[in-house]
């Protein structure tokens, strides 16, 4: 009985700490210091605020460098291709692309990197996979830092991200990008930056 009570106490403490962290993360997000002057885009509602808060605290300099660069750069007219971000090891991939049918898109997740994606023009379709019904189709490739999945379409969360919004996919976010939307025009300009994931 004593063991059960101790376990219950530990669970209660964990819940209290989790709620406090969540509250801190939401206040931090709302305050907006993370922006470092960045005003060109807003986070999409799919963003895991707690995870973003945690990663920002662990790697503040890199996140500040990213947001500063985004603010100082003409995102609509910067040449497509790989663009090094000054004073960092970060590389921005500027992509003029198109959404395509779901069956032509790859699933992915990463262990070492975080996908930061800002939509500059058009509307990009995304999907987040359900962990309970998805299974690994291609095991983790350490060199490419990618893992692929089989998934159940009906259990998948589909959403659109329009110009002026960004998404951040952490290792726990098994996702699909550039999914065809119901919009007439599927053309997009998106900038992808691989941020370091800090354990």
């Amino acid at each position: 009985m004593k063991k059960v009570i101790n376990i219950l106490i530990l669970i209660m403490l964990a819940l209290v700490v989790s709620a406090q962290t969540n509250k801190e993360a939401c206040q931090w997000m709302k305050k907006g210091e993370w922006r470092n002057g960045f005003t060109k885009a807003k986070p999409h509602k799919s963003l895991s605020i707690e995870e973003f808060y945690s990663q920002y605290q662990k790697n503040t300099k890199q996140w500040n460098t990213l947001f500063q660069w985004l603010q100082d750069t003409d995102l609509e007219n910067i040449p497509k291709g790989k663009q090094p971000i000054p004073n960092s090891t970060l590389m921005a991939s500027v992509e003029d692309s198109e959404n395509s049918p779901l069956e032509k898109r790859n699933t992915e997740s990463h262990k070492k990197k975080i996908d930061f994606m800002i939509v500059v023009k058009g509307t990009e379709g995304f999907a987040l996979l359900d962990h309970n019904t998805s299974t690994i189709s291609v095991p983790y490739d350490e060199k490419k830092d990618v893992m692929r999945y089989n998934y159940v379409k009906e259990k998948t969360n589909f959403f659109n991200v329009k110009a002026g919004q960004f998404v951040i996919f952490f290792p726990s976010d098994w996702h699909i990008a550039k999914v065809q939307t119901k919009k007439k025009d599927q053309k997009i300009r998106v900038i992808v930056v691989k941020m370091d994931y800090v354990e």
Side-chain angles (χ1 to χ4, degrees):
M1 187 68 178
K2 192 177 179 183
K3 197 173 182 181
V4 172
I5 291 168
N6 285 339
I7 290 169
L8 287 172
I9 289 169
L10 286 173
I11 291 169
M12 292 287 285
L13 284 171
L15 288 172
V16 168
V17 169
S18 176
Q20 183 61 33
T21 304
N22 194 352
K23 187 179 176 184
E24 283 174 20
C26 288
Q27 287 173 345
W28 168 83
M29 191 77 188
K30 203 173 183 180
K31 207 171 177 186
E33 288 177 6
W34 56 270
R35 287 184 171 276
N36 197 30
F38 175 63
T39 58
K40 291 181 179 176
K42 294 179 180 177
H44 186 266
K45 63 183 179 181
S46 63
L47 174 66
S48 169
I49 294 172
E50 261 187 76
E51 186 80 276
F52 181 33
Y53 174 68
S54 171
Q55 285 300 306
Y56 182 90
Q57 306 305 320
K58 292 174 182 177
N59 202 1
T60 304
K61 187 179 178 187
Q62 193 174 78
W63 285 100
N64 282 345
T65 300
L66 169 68
F67 287 118
Q68 187 68 60
W69 179 82
L70 289 169
Q71 185 63 25
D72 294 344
T73 303
D74 183 349
L75 302 178
E76 291 197 13
N77 296 304
I78 187 173
K80 69 177 182 178
K82 301 285 186 186
Q83 301 290 340
I85 296 178
N87 306 313
S88 76
T89 57
L90 298 173
M91 186 73 69
S93 179
V94 181
E95 302 172 9
D96 289 323
S97 186
E98 288 188 32
N99 296 313
S100 54
L102 180 63
E103 57 273 14
K104 292 186 177 181
R105 303 304 309 153
N106 264 330
T107 59
E108 62 183 59
S109 73
H110 316 287
K111 290 186 178 180
K112 299 175 189 171
K113 296 291 181 181
I114 298 164
D115 281 340
F116 176 94
M117 304 180 192
I118 179 170
V119 180
V120 179
K121 291 179 185 173
T123 300
E124 183 171 2
F126 288 97
L128 279 172
L129 309 185
D130 174 59
H131 285 211
N132 294 324
T133 53
S134 299
T135 56
I136 296 167
S137 62
V138 179
Y140 180 67
D141 183 325
E142 193 164 350
K143 193 175 178 183
K144 294 180 181 176
D145 185 38
V146 71
M147 188 154 49
R148 310 256 184 227
Y149 301 88
N150 295 311
Y151 63 97
V152 178
K153 185 179 175 182
E154 292 73 24
K155 296 283 186 178
T156 303
N157 176 25
F158 294 93
F159 58 93
N160 293 340
V161 177
K162 57 189 179 183
Q165 293 181 319
F166 65 83
V167 289
I168 306 175
F169 294 122
F170 301 98
S172 60
D173 296 319
W174 305 350
H175 59 281
I176 310 172
K178 296 181 185 172
V179 178
Q180 190 171 42
T181 68
K182 292 179 180 176
K183 302 273 183 186
K184 192 174 181 181
D185 188 359
Q186 296 299 319
K187 289 180 182 175
I188 54 170
R189 164 165 275 221
V190 61
I191 295 173
V192 181
V193 182
K194 296 280 189 181
M195 306 294 289
D196 292 328
Y197 181 75
V198 183
E199 291 284 353

